[in-house]
Amino acid sequence: MTVTLVDSNVLIDVATADPDWLGWSAAKLAAAADAGALVINPLVFAEVSIAYASIEALDAALPQTLYRRESLPWEAAFLAGKAFVAYRRRGGSRSAALPDFYIGAHAAVRSYRLLTRDARRFRTYYPRLALVAPEG
């Protein structure tokens, strides 16, 4: 069974019916669900929450029957820190979101695929991570 960690940008595309990304995100999300389990973590949950007025609405949009909720592994926290340091040493911005590094590390340490439409950092800092992302 394939396990896919779903990045918040894909879920927000679907929730907001993003005119540019809804088609791609919805199709890839459906394909990932057909292939196996979908996983989210507290960071993804928090980032997606901005599109909802209440936790009940968010829970309804991300039902636990469809999205397995996992805590962040301690190993992922360590790996995220190391990746973030490497990013900063390469001249990366201080304002860059550390949550992206945690999300990538979570998928990497659990050997999950990551469904995202913003794969640049993940490809750079987690080169062995299996990604489902737009080409280019």
Side-chain angles (χ1 to χ4, degrees):
M1 175 172 79
T2 302
V3 180
T4 304
L5 180 63
V6 183
D7 197 0
S8 55
N9 53 36
V10 171
L11 297 170
I12 291 170
D13 289 345
V14 173
T16 63
D18 183 277
D20 297 321
W21 288 103
L22 174 62
W24 185 90
S25 292
K28 296 301 182 182
L29 188 59
D34 287 345
L38 301 177
V39 172
I40 60 172
N41 63 34
L43 293 169
V44 170
F45 192 83
E47 289 178 336
V48 174
S49 75
I50 64 170
Y52 295 89
S54 69
I55 194 167
E56 293 81 12
L58 181 56
D59 280 335
L62 300 174
Q64 292 187 51
T65 55
L66 182 57
Y67 298 95
R68 186 170 77 205
R69 297 179 184 185
E70 290 188 4
S71 298
L72 290 165
W74 289 100
E75 298 89 347
F78 182 83
L79 183 58
K82 296 301 181 192
F84 189 73
V85 166
Y87 165 79
R88 291 288 296 131
R89 286 184 179 149
R90 291 179 174 175
S93 166
R94 279 187 199 268
S95 63
L98 186 56
D100 288 346
F101 291 94
Y102 273 111
I103 290 165
H106 183 173
V109 302
R110 293 288 189 245
S111 298
Y112 296 162
R113 294 187 318 171
L114 178 63
L115 172 57
T116 184
R117 67 171 165 75
D118 185 18
R120 188 183 82 249
R121 278 195 199 125
F122 300 119
R123 284 189 178 114
T124 301
Y125 296 97
Y126 306 104
R128 291 187 299 252
L129 180 61
L131 295 172
V132 178
E135 296 299 316

